[in-house]
Amino acid sequence: MLSLLLAAAIVQTPLPLNIGGRVAPAPGGAYAFGWPGVYFEGRFSGPSVEVAVDTGVEHLAVSVDGVRKAELIKSGETRLKLDRLGPGEHVVRVDKLTESQTGSARFEGFFVGREGRALPAPARPRRIEFIGDSYTVAYGVRSTTRDCTEQQVHDLTDTSLSFAPDLAARLDADYRIEAFSGRGVVRNYNGLAPGEPLPALFPRLIPGQAEPRIAANDPWKPEIVVIGLGTNDFSTSLRAGEAWADEAALRKDYREAYVAFVEGLKASRPGARFFLIQGDTFVDDVAEVAARAGATAVRITGMERTACHSHPSAADQKMMADRLEAAILEN
């Protein structure tokens, strides 16, 4: 049984958290978050739990013991009570489904009452970091047509269906996703937002806000890093006034900047293995980057791309997870 409580609740016991993704501290012990695929988990015993969030303009999924109980799609403060859960231990989870490139949502906590008991948060033995663009975000993946309005793209994006959480689940890993639709290594889709490709946004805790930034001594260290960047660098022709004289100059800049980006990440993630996705239009470029930076190139092709604006479908996302899993297990 679900009951939505809009009034302030009685003081309860907060659950310790396992947080997947970057978050920024917010007033009252809350966390603001904006990158795709952020999730929060708590563990407890007892018959009920309450979830407190401010959704902003995001859609959030709430699950208990791996079963989705609700999707929160209305903007604003929400307190959701999940009860009659049965005896024993449970895991409650909130997943960010949508991508909003400005603003942020806020997580305010999981709470149990007198009949419940807070337990240590879930933890997994591995960590994977995913860095990418709209393919990693799972842009419009719930759509059954390529034709989508801007609102439909927002509403039908579901990062929980991306290859990233799928692959992480197969490898029993916690994960972070730093991905932003339309961004590349040096050039964005159709030349938009010059000077702000994904590496320029990467240090941010909230992607649409220049501050705050990730701490230089961030303790979250992944064992595996998967990067998928390049589609937006090359999917549209150069426009007048852009920084490159021709495509050859763009590809040279892409390779040099990508090598530097990977090498910088390797310095702060000692011992991590890096896997770089090769798309159809930048196979040779990524092969060179991988060879120079000590990474593994993973060729992914043959997608049906039937989601919004010819983006990968749910089946394509599964295929990407299959190929990355095989590469990781082989290397």
Side-chain angles (χ1 to χ4, degrees):
M1 176 182 177
L2 307 179
S3 55
L4 200 58
L5 306 181
L6 302 179
I10 298 172
V11 175
Q12 295 176 305
T13 302
L15 301 186
L17 299 175
N18 179 38
I19 301 175
R22 291 184 182 171
V23 299
Y31 295 96
F33 57 101
W35 287 105
V38 172
Y39 62 93
F40 302 85
E41 293 179 305
R43 195 164 64 94
F44 65 99
S45 63
S48 66
V49 65
E50 290 189 15
V51 181
V53 296
D54 184 339
T55 57
V57 297
E58 307 293 356
H59 294 181
L60 307 177
V62 181
S63 62
V64 175
D65 300 333
V67 177
R68 188 164 294 186
K69 298 291 188 179
E71 290 189 10
L72 308 179
I73 62 175
K74 291 185 178 180
S75 298
E77 294 270 355
T78 299
R79 192 147 185 146
L80 177 71
K81 184 174 182 181
L82 303 159
D83 56 16
R84 299 185 182 178
L85 299 176
E89 297 183 3
H90 304 285
V91 173
V92 59
R93 176 168 170 140
V94 166
D95 283 276
K96 181 177 183 285
L97 305 181
T98 46
E99 179 186 20
S100 293
Q101 297 181 344
T102 59
S104 61
R106 190 171 68 248
F107 179 81
E108 298 169 346
F110 298 125
F111 303 92
V112 291
R114 287 191 298 268
E115 296 180 343
R117 182 166 62 93
L119 299 173
R124 297 174 182 85
R126 300 178 184 86
R127 292 176 172 178
I128 306 179
E129 185 170 29
F130 297 92
I131 301 168
D133 52 28
S134 55
Y135 283 27
T136 307
V137 171
Y139 177 105
V141 71
R142 289 186 175 186
S143 179
T144 57
T145 176
R146 293 184 173 94
D147 297 323
C148 300
T149 65
E150 184 176 341
Q151 186 63 49
Q152 286 171 327
V153 170
H154 176 271
D155 294 348
L156 297 173
T157 292
D158 185 345
T159 307
S160 74
L161 297 178
S162 162
F163 69 85
D166 183 353
L167 179 61
R170 299 180 192 194
L171 300 178
D172 194 18
D174 279 313
Y175 60 91
R176 280 186 178 181
I177 298 175
E178 292 105 7
F180 199 110
S181 294
R183 302 301 168 113
V185 174
V186 294
R187 181 176 184 261
N188 300 326
Y189 179 80
N190 207 28
L192 300 175
E196 292 191 349
L198 195 284
L201 306 182
F202 184 77
R204 301 177 179 183
L205 286 182
I206 306 292
Q209 301 173 11
E211 298 294 339
R213 299 167 76 84
I214 194 75
N217 59 346
D218 178 21
W220 197 88
K221 304 295 183 187
E223 291 83 23
I224 295 169
V225 180
V226 177
I227 309 177
L229 290 170
T231 298
N232 294 301
D233 295 87
F234 305 118
S235 62
T236 54
S237 299
L238 286 168
R239 302 165 66 185
E242 289 197 69
W244 304 275
D246 52 29
E247 185 176 314
L250 171 61
R251 289 189 182 275
K252 182 177 185 298
D253 195 16
Y254 170 87
R255 295 182 187 200
E256 295 300 324
Y258 204 169
V259 169
F261 183 51
V262 174
E263 289 180 340
L265 292 170
K266 291 182 76 173
S268 60
R269 293 154 175 77
R273 294 185 291 151
F274 282 72
F275 296 84
L276 312 183
I277 295 174
Q278 295 171 294
D280 290 334
T281 58
F282 47 99
V283 176
D284 293 341
D285 304 277
V286 171
E288 179 182 315
V289 171
R292 291 172 58 188
T296 299
V298 182
R299 183 75 171 97
I300 294 181
T301 189
M303 290 185 284
E304 59 185 17
R305 298 196 301 177
T306 55
C308 286
H309 304 147
S310 298
H311 276 73
S313 65
D316 292 334
Q317 294 285 349
K318 182 181 182 301
M319 180 266 284
M320 286 192 277
D322 290 341
R323 300 212 180 152
L324 286 162
E325 181 184 24
I328 289 168
L329 295 178
E330 289 170 5
N331 292 274

